[in-house]
Amino acid sequence: MPDNRHIASGFEIPTERYSDQPYVVKTDDGAWLCTLTTGGGVEGASGQHIIATRSIDQGRTWSAPVDVEPADGPEASYAAPLKAPGGRIYLFYNHNTDDRRYVIADDPPYKDGKCYRVDSQGYFVFKYSDDHGRSWSSKRHNVPVREMAIDRENPYGGKIRYFWNVGKPFIHEGAAYVSLHKVGGLGHGFFTRSEGVLLRSENIMTQSDPERIVWETLPDGDAGLRAPPGGGPIAEEQSYVVLSDDSIYSVYRTIDGHPAFAYSRDGGRTWTQPAYKRYANGRLMKHPRAANFAWKCENGRYLYWFHNHGGNWYEDRNPVWLCGGVEIDSDEGRVIRWSQPEIALYDDDSYVRISYPDLVEDGGCTFLIETQKDKARAHQLDPALLEGIWRQVSEGGSLTTEETLVEWNSADASDDHVMIPPLPPFNTRDHQRPDYGAKDLRSGFTVEVWLELDQLNGGETLVDARAQNGQGWALQSTARGTVEIILNDGRSESRWDCDPDMLGAGARHHLAVVVDGGPKIISFVVDGVLCDGGACRQFGWGRFNSALRHVNSADKNPIIAPGSSGRQDHAPAAADAQRVAVSSGVRSLRIYDRALRTFEVIGNYLSDLS
């Protein structure tokens, strides 16, 4: 079954072997202009340079790339474009102008105290284009950056600067703001300390002579945006949006397992005390050392890209999750209220890292641009996904009735079991392949229960749809006070449970299990809260075996006709129905033959409450 969340379904943007930061601006002649960092080697290798390419069909096809900086020059990296009102496009990036071949670093980890990666030092520069990105100015212009403590305390005393940027520039009250991440070290370290600043130009939007552009470095003082009090030394890759009351909001990564944020009410000169980002319900968000971006959409609402787990390193950037945001009032000014997240993009290989995104709105459609460091792609987002996450945070949602396989309520039932049709298989034999191998149907299902358990000491089977050999699926309580789902196709078994401390003995709870056969992820939503592991574990969601064929108690995998989506397209025969036993602790049961989105589960919960 096609799944437009799979990154391979996107439209590829041309690059060389390495691909990073594919950022897009819409030009005044109606095209998309994408600028990228690319090269023939891996990230940081010699030959890394900047290219630009154009699309006139919303990212489906692209022009031959042109060099903004050549591959045979010093490293040029991490470009971010800005379009001025007159149509000129500026491009800001790192440039190793002095052609330095190494920088001082600690030994260990760097042998002989030298780091030979030189793409995050040198000069912050810009070029510009006056023909919508088809060609670029030959001269490179330096952007002056005010020295701060983090610069003076590096091994060179600030004479050589460590820095880079991933945040896109923005315009606020007629001035341009360009993000920069200053890098320092603890002792002679390299990339062991970071903080964010903004470079503000009052006249770049109106000044045609690049030599007369004036810059200042914000915030005021000797330090940029840092981690919240008690956090680690890393605070980098700041992303910015401007709210309706002209406040500036920034979100950025740390190594503390949570993203940080702050607001400025005076144009970036001062900021609120940085804090860790939270959902509208007050629960802390979780995110590793990876890019996390916020965007303001044309409708005045917001989208937020992150990875929804509590890692503190560069790993596990797959899948990508999106939250929706809406503005609300506070005593200090407008703030953003964030929804719970949805899976937006994924790759089948869990080691693939999807990152450094951009968002484009064009012709009523919304697109995500991303890279996994090898290929860059453009993806159109499902409008229903966006409306659902915004509705969740502003209205709550409503009951989902489509694709419901069964509804059972203990108050109306005469038996302790219910008959359900077969659930959709996850994969089947592909008769169109010469080797008759597997076809991934990317299907799924969702189980929702209202339950009330007298005790939570484990071992109680709550819902059981298994044969005697264990084939099928079941929900059961565990010894750590959780509920887990078991998935078994007679060949392999997978299981995952909800977060601890979400359930209470004797209390009534709504629990939903979403089994998503696209990214092969199991997620739990308890009383309207998506499990993210909390303080107990890094991940609240888990992966199931990609070879799992189905979870029906019948011995055979249901036969799927060629070209079918994998879902049942007809009423099953009575012999196909499966018997599902339900324990006395389960008050109601609802099963869907697809993976519900988080906002749909929350809508069901709130609807049932009312």
Side-chain angles (χ1 to χ4, degrees):
M1 180 178 181
D3 187 346
N4 66 2
R5 300 174 301 168
H6 192 286
I7 62 170
S9 68
F11 301 112
E12 188 172 342
I13 303 170
T15 61
E16 299 171 19
R17 183 185 186 278
Y18 167 59
S19 167
D20 215 343
Q21 292 183 216
Y23 293 164
V24 171
V25 292
K26 291 190 291 183
T27 62
D28 283 355
D29 67 347
W32 290 9
L33 172 66
C34 183
T35 57
L36 308 95
T37 302
T38 192
V42 297
E43 179 177 344
S46 180
Q48 189 165 291
H49 66 120
I50 307 295
I51 61 172
T53 178
R54 288 166 42 93
S55 173
I56 58 173
D57 55 8
Q58 294 185 321
R60 288 169 175 80
T61 61
W62 295 86
S63 66
V66 298
D67 283 351
V68 179
E69 291 282 359
D72 59 359
E75 289 81 355
S77 314
Y78 314 126
L82 172 69
K83 186 170 77 69
R88 173 175 285 184
I89 297 166
Y90 292 94
L91 194 61
F92 301 90
Y93 53 96
N94 280 64
H95 193 260
N96 182 20
T97 308
D98 296 335
D99 203 18
R100 191 172 301 278
R101 292 297 95 203
Y102 70 87
V103 293
I104 298 172
D106 283 343
D107 179 9
Y110 298 102
K111 186 178 180 180
D112 300 325
K114 296 178 180 180
C115 173
Y116 293 93
R117 179 171 174 175
V118 291
D119 59 341
S120 298
Q121 57 81 46
Y123 299 87
F124 196 51
V125 304
F126 71 86
K127 286 188 175 183
Y128 61 88
S129 172
D130 286 329
D131 58 4
H132 315 298
R134 293 180 176 87
S135 64
W136 296 83
S137 58
S138 58
K139 185 175 181 180
R140 188 185 313 113
H141 302 271
N142 290 348
V143 177
V145 182
R146 178 166 55 88
E147 182 180 281
M148 291 182 170
I150 192 171
D151 304 311
R152 292 190 297 275
E153 293 166 6
N154 77 22
Y156 297 96
K159 293 180 180 179
I160 296 173
R161 301 284 182 85
Y162 301 158
F163 64 92
W164 90 106
N165 172 51
V166 305
K168 282 187 76 174
F170 62 95
I171 300 172
H172 174 51
E173 296 183 335
Y177 290 75
V178 184
S179 177
L180 193 74
H181 323 311
K182 286 177 174 281
V183 180
L186 306 176
H188 280 177
F190 183 55
F191 265 79
T192 55
R193 175 184 171 194
S194 55
E195 55 193 47
V197 299
L198 281 169
L199 307 176
R200 179 182 184 273
S201 174
E202 184 75 34
N203 68 344
I204 191 173
M205 294 289 95
T206 56
Q207 176 57 254
S208 61
D209 182 355
E211 298 297 332
R212 300 178 68 179
I213 296 172
V214 178
W215 296 94
E216 61 179 325
T217 304
L218 302 175
D220 297 337
D222 214 22
L225 280 172
R226 295 178 173 176
I234 300 301
E236 60 199 18
E237 299 197 335
Q238 281 78 10
S239 168
Y240 300 89
V241 290
V242 180
L243 279 61
S244 61
D245 67 349
D246 290 327
S247 298
I248 302 174
Y249 171 85
S250 180
V251 63
Y252 47 101
R253 74 186 190 186
T254 71
I255 54 170
D256 308 328
H258 306 286
F261 77 97
Y263 290 91
S264 175
R265 311 292 183 184
D266 56 6
R269 299 190 179 281
T270 62
W271 293 83
T272 59
Q273 178 70 65
Y276 295 120
K277 191 173 170 71
R278 295 179 182 269
Y279 298 106
N281 62 11
R283 190 176 176 92
L284 278 170
M285 292 185 177
K286 300 174 73 173
H287 181 70
R289 192 173 184 175
N292 62 130
F293 279 24
W295 298 286
K296 186 174 186 177
C297 298
E298 292 172 354
N299 61 9
R301 297 175 176 179
Y302 299 85
L303 291 173
Y304 171 60
W305 160 301
F306 76 132
H307 296 292
N308 194 27
H309 68 85
N312 58 13
W313 202 235
Y314 300 102
E315 301 300 326
D316 297 298
R317 303 178 182 186
N318 175 15
V320 172
W321 299 73
L322 282 183
C323 295
V326 297
E327 288 187 23
I328 61 171
D329 288 318
S330 76
D331 292 340
E332 292 77 28
R334 301 288 278 178
V335 296
I336 305 175
R337 178 181 172 92
W338 295 103
S339 77
Q340 294 185 62
E342 307 283 350
I343 294 175
L345 295 171
Y346 68 87
D347 189 84
D348 290 333
D349 186 339
S350 66
Y351 282 94
V352 166
R353 296 185 291 185
I354 312 167
S355 199
Y356 299 104
D358 199 5
L359 182 134
V360 182
E361 294 180 277
D362 191 18
C365 301
T366 304
F367 301 83
L368 282 178
I369 317 295
E370 53 78 24
T371 178
Q372 31 81 314
K373 299 298 180 86
D374 172 52
K375 291 181 175 64
R377 297 183 177 96
H379 308 263
Q380 184 173 343
L381 289 173
D382 181 356
L385 171 67
L386 301 181
E387 287 304 315
I389 59 177
W390 285 323
R391 186 171 63 249
Q392 179 221 124
V393 75
S394 58
E395 303 171 17
S398 57
L399 180 66
T400 296
T401 57
E402 296 83 2
E403 292 86 43
T404 307
L405 280 182
V406 67
E407 285 200 67
W408 177 91
N409 193 302
S410 62
D412 303 324
S414 56
D415 299 304
D416 61 355
H417 69 274
V418 60
M419 303 301 292
I420 68 168
L423 294 173
F426 299 116
N427 57 68
T428 190
R429 184 179 298 282
D430 188 347
H431 293 275
Q432 306 304 311
R433 282 176 50 169
D435 60 359
Y436 298 97
K439 179 180 181 179
D440 193 338
L441 299 171
R442 304 194 185 278
S443 54
F445 69 97
T446 303
V447 178
E448 285 188 4
V449 294
W450 278 95
L451 48 82
E452 190 172 336
L453 305 179
D454 293 333
Q455 51 187 350
L456 285 167
N457 53 10
E460 181 180 359
T461 302
L462 306 175
V463 182
D464 199 342
R466 295 173 295 184
Q468 289 187 347
N469 66 350
Q471 182 175 317
W473 64 273
L475 291 180
Q476 68 181 28
S477 62
T478 74
R480 64 192 201 119
T482 66
V483 168
E484 70 175 354
I485 191 167
I486 302 168
L487 308 174
N488 187 307
D489 66 355
R491 298 168 179 81
S492 64
E493 184 170 280
S494 298
R495 60 178 66 200
W496 191 256
D497 65 346
C498 68
D499 290 347
D501 304 323
M502 299 284 285
L503 303 174
R508 190 178 180 90
H509 293 285
H510 179 268
L511 181 143
V513 191
V514 180
V515 181
D516 190 341
K520 311 297 182 292
I521 281 177
I522 303 169
S523 56
F524 278 77
V525 183
V526 179
D527 296 333
V529 177
L530 177 71
C531 293
D532 66 1
C536 301
R537 55 185 181 179
Q538 179 177 341
F539 297 90
W541 45 271
R543 300 181 187 272
F544 64 90
N545 190 340
S546 61
L548 192 74
R549 298 187 178 187
H550 65 91
V551 290
N552 294 302
S553 57
D555 290 335
K556 63 180 181 179
N557 199 1
I559 297 173
I560 302 300
S564 169
S565 67
R567 289 180 42 216
Q568 300 293 327
D569 298 318
H570 62 278
D576 292 334
Q578 304 172 84
R579 186 180 188 276
V580 178
V582 186
S583 81
S584 60
V586 176
R587 302 298 185 235
S588 65
L589 170 68
R590 187 184 289 133
I591 301 175
Y592 295 85
D593 68 345
R594 66 174 176 88
L596 293 189
R597 289 165 168 157
T598 307
F599 71 80
E600 292 178 299
V601 174
I602 294 173
N604 287 356
Y605 166 68
L606 296 175
S607 178
D608 288 348
L609 283 179
S610 62

